Amino acid sequence: MNSLRRKIEDILIKENYTFSQLADYLNLSEEQLEEGLANKTLELRYLEDISKNLKVPLYSFFRENDIKINYNEKPYFTNKLWNEGEETSPQKLMEEIDLLKQAISHKEAELAKKLK
């Protein structure tokens, strides 16, 4: 199964929807949806519709899960949407909170420089 379909299915499972229901919602057959995802030919409007209705950012379908952020560079995509089958532990949540705090500090520093 391709990575994009796997990511979408992970989100569908968490939202209690099926791949079949998604295909119906998009007015596509399961085969059309599967083929579009597998061949990377699915129209962007379908991906936008999926992201809006599942309430996940569109970019999340295309980023790697093991992304590392260097705050000396421009930060991007700091939120995690799924854990690839891992249970969310208090430690993981604290790590994500710390990451968000770092992002806030970085943005506050940028703002302070611009306000000088």
Side-chain angles (χ1 to χ4, degrees), residues 28-75:
L28 297 171
S29 69
E30 282 186 65
E31 294 76 25
Q32 288 172 313
L33 183 54
E34 171 62 35
E35 185 177 315
L37 292 171
N39 297 331
K40 298 180 181 172
T41 58
L42 189 66
E43 292 180 31
L44 183 58
R45 66 186 170 114
Y46 290 119
L47 292 174
E48 288 175 332
D49 206 14
I50 293 168
S51 79
K52 285 178 188 173
N53 286 290
L54 293 178
K55 296 179 176 83
V56 296
L58 183 60
Y59 70 78
S60 66
F61 297 139
F62 304 102
R63 72 182 172 108
E64 298 298 320
N65 292 328
D66 60 350
I67 192 167
K68 301 292 182 213
I69 297 172
N70 177 354
Y71 283 98
N72 295 322
E73 298 174 2
K74 184 177 179 181

Side-chain angles (χ1 to χ4, degrees), residues 70-93:
N70 177 354
Y71 283 98
N72 295 322
E73 298 174 2
K74 184 177 179 181
Y76 72 100
F77 311 147
T78 58
N79 62 325
K80 292 184 175 184
L81 298 174
W82 50 84
N83 296 323
E84 292 293 327
E86 296 176 23
E87 284 190 35
T88 304
S89 67
Q91 178 63 32
K92 285 247 185 226
L93 292 172

Side-chain angles (χ1 to χ4, degrees), residues 8-18 21 50 53-56 81:
I8 291 172
E9 283 191 336
D10 287 346
I11 297 167
L12 289 170
I13 289 167
K14 289 182 179 187
E15 298 296 324
N16 295 316
Y17 294 110
T18 65
Q21 288 172 316
I50 293 168
N53 286 290
L54 293 178
K55 296 179 176 83
V56 296
L81 298 174

